[in-house]
Amino acid sequence: MNKILLTCYLVFALFGLTACSGTEPNQIENVQVPPVSVQLWSVKDAIEKDFKGTLKQLADMGFQGVEFAGNYGEFSDNPQGLKEYLNSLGLKASGAHVGFDGLRGEKLTPTLNFLKALEIEMVIVPMDSRAWSPDGVESLVAELTELSTKLAKQGMLIGYHNHDREFDPYQNLTFWDYIAKNTPQNVLLQLDVGWVNFADKDAIEYVKRYAGRTLATHIKIRNYHGPDRTPQQASPIIGEDQYDWASLIKTQAAVGGTRWLVLEQEEYPDGLSSMQAVKKSKLGLDKIISTL
């Protein structure tokens, strides 16, 4: 067994994962689909108006988990109360997006204590401009590496979530490759498929390239950006687009060590509200999953 595969298997043993880069093709066809969560940024307007009611509606849509994005509603000082409310809805906290500012200095311990009370294991940095800066990416890597050690002592994982700029060229590969290759195996890589596709890269290839590290994935179609990027033309509703979600999900389950599929909706077509768009994408994703 080569060194990379050995490292992969050791990480799986430590964190309870079940796949590795040596997965055979027939294993990809016989996989257990991970549960489905929703990134609460998708419905940030609804969350602001009615936190508890929005969570109930999401549970009624069939979501099994929620990924937090900094808003904990009336439970901002009561994580135990939030955990009890999630339990009453049959929801789990699949993870949380937390900026570096909340993970530095005196803020680190209270942040982790709050998340631990919610039984969150995956703490994911949503964005940092150093990730696509030749002058900043090394300090980003160093901070992720330091946090990986600190969080491991708490039974938790640090991770990073991409946008499209992380796939800009860097040192003959991309910034994303640099981050992956220069952080420990226990730094999770949360692929946002919408942004990967927008950057004209292959999400399936990246799941395979960094086996066991795609523990949570954002299921999303992204169509627009600023003036420096060319808009794409596809429905942002999952299942109405042309992307091969089935192959991606199979690869994630067999190779990525994926624990959660996290639906994220950032575009709301045809006058749909955020909740209506999320519901349509959830139905589309359910239909895809039913074929696996």
Side-chain angles (χ1 to χ4, degrees):
M1 182 181 295
N2 63 39
K3 184 176 180 180
I4 294 176
L5 279 175
L6 177 59
T7 301
C8 183
Y9 279 109
L10 288 173
V11 171
F12 293 150
L14 178 60
F15 291 103
L17 306 177
T18 58
C20 202
S21 57
T23 304
E24 297 297 330
N26 65 328
Q27 289 178 280
I28 294 180
E29 295 303 319
N30 297 281
V31 297
Q32 183 174 352
V33 176
V36 178
S37 175
V38 58
Q39 164 55 242
L40 291 181
W41 184 255
S42 309
V43 291
K44 54 186 178 296
D45 57 333
I47 286 288
E48 287 286 348
K49 295 176 182 177
D50 183 1
F51 184 84
K52 293 176 68 175
T54 300
L55 290 183
K56 185 179 186 308
Q57 289 183 63
L58 293 170
D60 290 343
M61 291 179 196
F63 285 104
Q64 295 156 285
V66 293
E67 184 179 79
F68 288 97
N71 189 338
Y72 300 96
E74 53 264 54
F75 299 100
S76 59
D77 296 317
N78 183 14
Q80 189 56 46
L82 178 52
K83 179 66 171 63
E84 291 171 1
Y85 185 63
L86 291 175
N87 287 343
S88 75
L89 299 175
L91 291 172
K92 294 183 178 180
S94 66
H97 276 196
V98 181
F100 278 119
D101 286 347
L103 300 169
R104 291 172 177 152
E106 295 179 354
K107 292 184 179 180
L108 177 62
T109 296
T111 296
L112 296 187
N113 286 343
F114 185 95
L115 299 178
K116 284 183 70 176
L118 295 174
E119 298 183 3
I120 287 175
E121 295 179 356
M122 295 188 288
V123 183
I124 302 157
V125 177
M127 185 178 71
D128 190 290
S129 61
R130 292 176 296 169
W132 54 84
S133 166
D135 298 324
V137 70
E138 288 188 17
S139 66
L140 175 85
V141 163
E143 191 162 10
L144 288 171
T145 299
E146 181 181 2
L147 283 169
S148 72
T149 299
K150 292 180 178 179
L151 267 67
K153 294 177 181 177
Q154 304 296 323
M156 305 170 82
L157 295 166
I158 191 69
Y160 185 79
H161 164 279
N162 69 272
H163 289 72
D164 59 329
R165 296 292 301 274
E166 285 86 353
F167 294 93
D168 286 350
Y170 184 64
Q171 294 191 0
N172 298 318
L173 288 168
T174 69
F175 285 99
W176 188 252
D177 290 288
Y178 184 87
I179 293 167
K181 291 177 180 294
N182 290 277
T183 51
Q185 190 79 9
N186 66 344
V187 172
L188 73 93
L189 305 171
Q190 185 177 62
L191 278 183
D192 183 308
V193 179
W195 284 121
V196 177
N197 289 341
F198 199 96
D200 199 26
K201 300 296 183 182
D202 184 349
I204 292 175
E205 168 59 27
Y206 274 97
V207 173
K208 293 177 179 178
R209 187 177 299 181
Y210 302 110
R213 297 183 68 179
T214 316
L215 304 189
T217 302
H218 276 191
I219 305 297
K220 181 176 78 183
I221 295 295
R222 186 73 182 187
N223 281 320
Y224 66 89
H225 198 276
D228 59 328
R229 301 280 166 153
T230 303
Q232 298 177 346
Q233 300 298 322
S235 171
I237 301 299
I238 303 300
E240 294 181 3
D241 59 281
Q242 301 302 312
Y243 186 69
D244 186 2
W245 292 107
S247 293
L248 174 71
I249 292 169
K250 288 178 182 178
T251 304
Q252 288 179 294
V255 180
T258 305
R259 299 178 182 178
W260 286 95
L261 305 176
V262 184
L263 190 149
E264 184 178 35
Q265 194 78 41
E266 288 188 316
E267 299 176 44
Y268 316 103
D270 305 323
L272 296 176
S273 69
S274 62
M275 292 293 285
Q276 289 169 333
V278 164
K279 185 174 182 178
K280 287 193 71 174
S281 280
K282 177 62 164 60
L283 291 171
L285 182 57
D286 287 344
K287 185 175 181 179
I288 293 165
I289 289 173
S290 72
T291 67
L292 301 180

